Amino acid sequence: MSMIKSIFILLLCQLAGEALRAVTHIKVPGPVIGMVLLVAFYILRRREPPPALQRASDGLLSWLGLLFVPAGVGIVANLELLRSAWLPISIALIGSTFLTLVTTAWIMHRFGPRASMQNEGL
Amino acid sequence: MNWTTLPHTLSPGIVPLFAIVLTLGAYLFGVEVQKRIPNPLANPVLIAIVIIGITLRLLHLSYQDYFTGAQFIYFLLGPATVALAIPMVRALEHMRRGFWPMISALLAGSLIGLISGYAIVRLLGGSQAVALSMAPKSLTTPIAIAVSASIGGIPSLSAVLAIIGGVLVAISIDPVLRWLKIDEPSAKGLAAGTAGSGLGASRVIPQHTLSAAFAGVAIGANGILTAVLAPILAPLLKHW
C-alpha cells in the first residue's frame, strides 16, 4: 500500500469523525472520533494494519511535538490572561499536573501487566 | 527601507513560506539542543516556541501572519491524532490483559486532575472562574475549551493552560517517573496522555510502541471522561 493510500485512510477517518461530530453534536473532536473509528475497524476485521499505514503513522507520530508548535506560539500572544492571578494559576497547574501524572503512572505500573523490556521505539 | 518590514515588501507568498521554514528550523534546532544538553528544560517544543516568539516580535509579524504558513503544520495534527489508532491496534492484547488497571488509573488520574486543579486555585485565593478554567487543563485543547465553556470557565484561559500543562508534562515526565522508578512504557504513555494530552505525550510516544498506544487511549478516554464528569462535579465543587 502506498504512502498516498495511507494518508487517504487517515484523512478519511478524520473526515468521518468530523461528520459524526457535526451530526451527533458530541463534544469530542473529530480526529479523536476518527482514531476510535480506525481502532474499531481493525478490531472488527481482526487483522494487522498494512505495513505502509504503520510506517506512515509511526512517521507522523515521531514528529508529534513539531505539530504542536503553531498552537504553542499562539498561546504566547495570550499570556496576559495569566497575569490576573499568576501565583494560584502556576502553583495549581504544576501541582495538579504532578498529582495526575504520579497517580496514573503509579496505578498502571503497580497493577498493569509487564511489557517485554526490549526497545520498541517508533 | 526599515529592515523590520522586509518580509512584507518581498513577494506575497514569502510570509507563509518563511513561517514554515522558521517552524521547522526552530524545532530541528531544539532537537539538536536536546541531544547535546541532557536537561529536561531543553525540550524542542519549548525551544521552538521561544525562538519563533522572539523572531516574530523582532520582525513585527503578527500571529495571523505566522499562521498563514504555520496552519499547514497545524493541519497535520488531525491525521496524527487518527494515526494513534495504529499503535493501539498493535497493543490490543496488552490492553486486554491490563484492562482494569488501565481503567482504574485513567479514572483516578482524570478525577484527581479535575478536582485538584480547581481546589488548589481556590485554596490560594483565585476566583471561581479561574478555578473552573483550571479544571479541564489536562485535556486535548478543543475538549478543554468545550468543557470550560460548559462549566462556567474562561475558554481561552483553559486553552492557554492546556498548552502550558502539556509542555510541563513533556518536560517533567522522564525525570518524575525516573524518580518514582517507573519505567513501564504503558504506564508512561497512559500518565503522559492523561496529565498532558497529545503535547504531553509527544515526549514519550516515539520512545516505545506501547507508550504510543496507551497515550492514545488516555487522550481519548480522559477527554470523554472529563467531558462527562466535569458538568456533574462542577456544581458540587462550587458549593465547597
Side-chain angles (χ1 to χ4, degrees):
Chain A
M1 196 172 67
S2 67
M3 185 75 180
I4 302 289
K5 208 165 161 187
S6 308
I7 295 169
F8 171 73
I9 290 173
L10 294 177
L11 290 178
L12 184 69
C13 289
Q14 188 185 347
L15 181 64
E18 297 288 0
L20 261 176
R21 189 177 79 114
V23 172
T24 56
H25 299 289
I26 43 178
K27 278 174 196 153
V28 181
V32 174
I33 303 176
M35 171 181 85
V36 174
L37 290 175
L38 193 55
V39 172
F41 175 80
Y42 282 111
I43 291 177
L44 293 175
R45 299 276 312 259
R46 287 169 188 278
R47 59 173 218 207
E48 284 269 290
L53 182 57
Q54 301 208 24
R55 273 197 305 277
S57 301
D58 291 350
L60 265 176
L61 291 175
S62 57
W63 291 95
L64 191 58
L66 169 69
L67 311 186
F68 282 98
V69 171
V73 174
I75 290 320
V76 177
N78 276 319
L79 278 182
E80 75 275 7
L81 281 171
L82 306 181
R83 212 175 289 158
S84 60
W86 67 271
L87 191 65
I89 287 177
S90 19
I91 294 176
L93 190 57
I94 294 172
S96 173
T97 298
F98 179 78
L99 287 175
T100 310
L101 202 61
V102 170
T103 312
T104 315
W106 187 80
I107 295 176
M108 193 61 198
H109 179 75
R110 176 72 185 73
F111 301 104
R114 291 278 166 270
S116 54
M117 265 310 162
Q118 70 224 35
N119 186 14
E120 288 188 55
L122 293 180
Chain B
M1 190 182 72
N2 185 343
W3 67 275
T4 57
T5 61
L6 191 63
H8 293 291
T9 55
L10 298 168
S11 79
I14 202 160
V15 171
L17 181 60
F18 175 74
I20 296 171
V21 172
L22 175 65
T23 308
L24 294 179
Y27 187 79
L28 287 170
F29 176 76
V31 170
E32 287 304 313
V33 172
Q34 188 179 42
K35 276 185 200 157
R36 284 173 177 76
I37 304 174
N39 187 307
L41 278 175
N43 175 277
V45 179
L46 186 61
I47 292 170
I49 290 172
V50 171
I51 292 177
I52 296 165
I54 293 171
T55 309
L56 295 182
R57 182 150 297 186
L58 286 177
L59 294 178
H60 295 287
L61 284 169
S62 71
Y63 183 65
Q64 281 71 26
D65 293 330
Y66 169 71
F67 203 70
T68 56
Q71 61 176 322
F72 299 106
I73 295 166
Y74 177 74
F75 176 79
L76 291 174
L77 208 46
T81 305
V82 177
L84 280 169
I86 303 304
M88 280 163 75
V89 172
R90 284 198 292 245
L92 279 178
E93 184 45 40
H94 196 86
M95 281 181 196
R96 232 170 254 143
R97 279 192 287 144
F99 185 75
W100 289 112
M102 180 177 84
I103 296 294
S104 321
L106 269 170
L107 200 61
S110 188
L111 278 172
I112 286 192
L114 192 67
I115 295 169
S116 69
Y118 180 90
I120 299 174
V121 173
R122 290 302 271 165
L123 285 174
L124 295 175
S127 73
Q128 193 165 81
V130 169
L132 288 169
S133 313
M134 183 65 72
K137 54 125 189 19
S138 300
L139 307 182
T140 179
T141 317
I143 305 190
I145 290 170
V147 169
S148 181
S150 74
I151 60 176
I154 308 156
S156 52
L157 178 58
S158 296
V160 173
L161 296 174
I163 298 274
I164 301 177
V167 173
L168 205 59
V169 170
I171 289 171
S172 65
I173 179 114
D174 279 333
V176 168
L177 294 197
R178 206 180 304 126
W179 171 64
L180 288 170
K181 297 192 170 58
I182 293 176
D183 52 6
E184 195 62 34
S186 56
K188 264 184 139 176
L190 200 71
T194 306
S197 195
L199 179 49
S202 66
R203 174 88 190 104
V204 299
I205 281 174
Q207 291 175 356
H208 199 285
T209 182
L210 280 178
S211 300
F214 281 81
V217 174
I219 294 163
N222 192 25
I224 295 163
L225 262 176
T226 312
V228 174
L229 289 175
I232 300 169
L233 279 174
L236 303 173
L237 289 172
K238 282 187 220 171
H239 278 292
W240 167 71

